[in-house]
Amino acid sequence: MEDEKTIGRFSSVPEATILTDSSPADTSNLSLPERYGDSMLLDEGGMGHVLLARDRSMGRDVAVKRLRSEYAVREDLRIRFLREAEVQGGLEHPGVVPIYDVGHAPDGAPFFAMKRLQGQTLHAILNAVAAGDPVAAARFPLRRRIEIFENVCQ
């Protein structure tokens, strides 16, 4: 069983999804509307941050993707980011994460809230098996890894 930890009012979060080992990353500069509280950084990419936040209106944890502030000043990048949310929100498929909300943070940066997924990526699983991790190899034998890959392809 995976190690879990509880942070603030969040449900248990698998340790592997937290960027920092000791405490949640500082998200004070990553503002969200009042509806979303107690956020912590899950991941960051080239154009944005993904936060774990508590949706106070619905009483559930959600993943919130937020455009980086330095890119939010560019109209073309804001449009591109919101288009991503629109396209993803218009798709209904088991392999596509549903979008719950789209909007702008108090500082003007666009964001969208989506279903919070837990678990490991196929990339992380493959890396662990390749590194000789016996737990990963036992949990994800070749047949299971192929099934996961097939699901990704669908």
Side-chain angles (χ1 to χ4, degrees):
M1 181 160 224
E2 294 181 34
D3 290 332
E4 294 188 342
K5 99 197 242 192
T6 302
I7 298 174
R9 294 187 343 221
F10 293 118
S11 307
S12 296
V13 179
E15 193 81 32
T17 63
I18 300 173
L19 287 181
T20 175
D21 292 332
S22 57
S23 63
D26 178 23
T27 59
S28 60
N29 64 333
L30 303 176
S31 64
L32 293 173
E34 279 295 314
R35 174 179 175 172
Y36 302 100
D38 297 337
S39 67
M40 69 176 222
L41 188 64
L42 287 178
D43 204 357
E44 37 188 352
M47 291 188 61
H49 305 278
V50 178
L51 304 159
L52 174 62
R54 184 75 179 165
D55 181 339
R56 293 178 175 146
S57 296
M58 298 300 293
R60 64 182 171 196
D61 295 342
V62 295
V64 179
K65 186 170 183 180
R66 184 189 186 288
L67 188 63
R68 289 179 182 272
S69 298
E70 60 267 26
Y71 296 130
V73 296
R74 289 188 42 193
E75 181 73 13
D76 62 322
L77 295 179
R78 282 196 316 273
I79 290 170
R80 182 174 154 191
F81 183 88
L82 292 171
R83 178 75 179 136
E84 175 186 341
E86 180 183 356
V87 169
Q88 185 175 337
L91 299 173
E92 290 190 35
H93 184 276
V96 177
V97 180
I99 301 289
Y100 297 146
D101 187 24
V102 178
H104 289 84
D107 66 355
F111 75 90
F112 58 93
M114 57 194 141
K115 181 178 181 179
R116 172 186 175 221
L117 300 180
Q118 295 186 49
Q120 294 177 285
T121 64
L122 178 58
H123 184 258
I125 292 167
L126 294 175
N127 282 343
V129 171
D133 181 338
V135 174
R139 271 184 82 191
F140 302 100
L142 180 59
R143 179 180 212 86
R144 179 68 183 125
R145 293 190 309 261
I146 291 171
E147 289 172 358
I148 295 169
F149 179 71
E150 286 176 346
N151 288 334
V152 170
C153 292
Q154 293 177 9

